[in-house]
Amino acid sequence: RRALKEYHEMIQRDLNLAEQIHQSLIPEPIQHEKVKIGVKYKPMIGLGGDFADIFFDGKKSIFLTLIDVTGHGISAALLVNRICSEVRKLVREELEPNEILFNLNNFIIDVFDQTGMFLTAFVTKIDLEKLSFTYSGSSHPSLIVWDSKEKRYNKLFSQNVIIGFEKNDNNIFEQDTILLNSGDRIFLYTDGIIEAENDQRKALGIDGLIQIIDDLKDQPASVMVDSVIEVIRQKSYTQVRDDVFLIAADIL
């Protein structure tokens, strides 16, 4: 019994260390004169398969990247830690969002072939001078954008297939660009949020998330990301079966 207890304690220490390492990958919020970004991450079991990167080039562009590896737990976390450096390398080369997805797709297939693991992703770029927003998604839940001029929420859908399905010699990944206005707000999230279920096994869904976001519209992005998770809990959407990641960006 003593040997078994010591073995379990050793495993727990390793898991605690792995959780700390995984938490270190969560990007810091950004406070800039033209944009403010809030971040909230809640893994299902301490270790998860969600990964985000926020990069400001110091001049005019901010890249927001959100990735969701299929599954959760230790295997997904190991894959996240492996692809983290590759994603950050591609983003810091300041490639276009669709080019980043193209290179990431081929990297995943080259390195993790036969593992049966895939990932969904959104890579976006905000041009702070032109106030343009370029986005490219791969089977990821749609972006939500509050259009302050038209007073409505728009859903921006993924244009591409899941990452890791098929290697491509040429870049066939698509991207689109929209113009933003001061007062607009952008939301990126993983499906752990919209798939959360209440006691009647009803999922929150994208429209449910938009309703919560709208109820909290007076809060800045840095505060709202925490409030969204709390409201979901208060509404009894407590059956969460996947990791939860939420990024909100206020265009000033």
Side-chain angles (χ1 to χ4, degrees):
R1 286 197 300 269
R2 183 171 61 251
L4 186 61
K5 180 175 181 293
E6 291 174 351
Y7 178 74
H8 284 164
E9 289 175 347
M10 179 187 69
I11 295 294
Q12 190 59 53
R13 285 195 300 270
D14 287 345
L15 288 173
N16 290 340
L17 177 58
E19 182 177 347
Q20 291 178 25
I21 294 172
H22 192 71
Q23 289 285 332
S24 71
L25 301 179
I26 301 173
E28 294 294 327
I30 283 185
Q31 302 290 322
H32 185 272
E33 61 181 6
K34 291 188 177 182
V35 64
K36 292 186 178 180
I37 301 172
V39 179
K40 180 66 176 181
Y41 176 52
K42 188 176 181 181
M44 181 180 174
I45 54 173
L47 288 171
D50 291 357
F51 167 72
D53 181 66
I54 300 176
F55 172 64
F56 176 46
D57 66 1
K59 297 172 290 186
K60 67 171 187 176
S61 297
I62 290 181
F63 291 80
L64 306 177
T65 302
L66 186 56
I67 289 173
D68 185 359
V69 175
T70 53
H72 48 263
I74 295 174
S75 59
L78 286 172
L79 181 55
V80 164
N81 278 270
R82 178 64 182 88
I83 68 174
C84 169
S85 58
E86 182 68 18
V87 170
R88 289 178 172 172
K89 178 180 75 70
L90 294 171
V91 170
R92 280 145 188 78
E93 290 175 358
E94 300 186 41
L95 303 176
E96 286 296 303
N98 65 332
E99 294 175 331
I100 293 172
L101 288 183
F102 167 69
N103 285 282
L104 178 60
N105 178 71
N106 289 349
F107 168 80
I108 292 296
I109 292 175
D110 287 340
V111 177
F112 297 103
D113 189 27
Q114 306 302 321
T115 63
M117 299 189 76
F118 306 93
L119 57 89
T120 69
F122 248 120
V123 181
T124 71
K125 180 176 72 172
I126 304 173
D127 187 314
L128 299 176
E129 290 183 355
K130 299 178 181 178
L131 280 189
S132 64
F133 180 64
T134 302
Y135 63 97
S136 186
S138 287
S139 296
H140 199 84
S142 60
L143 300 173
I144 300 172
V145 177
W146 165 249
D147 186 329
S148 59
K149 187 175 181 180
E150 299 293 333
K151 303 298 182 185
R152 68 183 183 189
Y153 291 94
N154 296 318
K155 302 172 186 176
L156 307 182
F157 297 95
S158 292
Q159 310 97 319
N160 307 292
V161 299
I162 196 167
I163 296 292
F165 178 71
E166 182 179 25
K167 188 171 183 178
N168 299 300
D169 294 329
N170 299 309
N171 185 6
I172 61 172
F173 285 79
E174 299 179 5
Q175 66 180 26
D176 293 286
T177 300
I178 63 171
L179 293 179
L180 300 171
N181 300 289
S182 176
D184 287 1
R185 179 172 276 178
I186 301 166
F187 298 93
L188 293 83
Y189 56 93
T190 54
D191 57 10
I193 294 180
I194 58 175
E195 292 176 358
E197 296 180 347
N198 59 18
D199 294 338
Q200 288 74 47
R201 298 183 64 85
K202 179 182 178 181
L204 177 65
I206 296 178
D207 291 336
L209 176 59
I210 289 176
Q211 182 59 60
I212 292 175
I213 288 171
D214 190 59
D215 292 340
L216 299 170
K217 59 180 177 291
D218 293 332
Q219 296 186 3
S222 57
V223 176
M224 176 186 279
V225 288
D226 289 305
S227 299
V228 167
I229 304 304
E230 178 60 23
V231 170
I232 289 174
R233 186 191 65 80
Q234 291 174 359
K235 289 180 176 290
S236 298
Y237 286 93
T238 54
Q239 304 301 313
V240 180
R241 298 179 178 84
D242 204 349
D243 308 317
V244 169
F245 218 126
L246 177 63
I247 299 174
D250 286 334
I251 306 301
L252 307 178

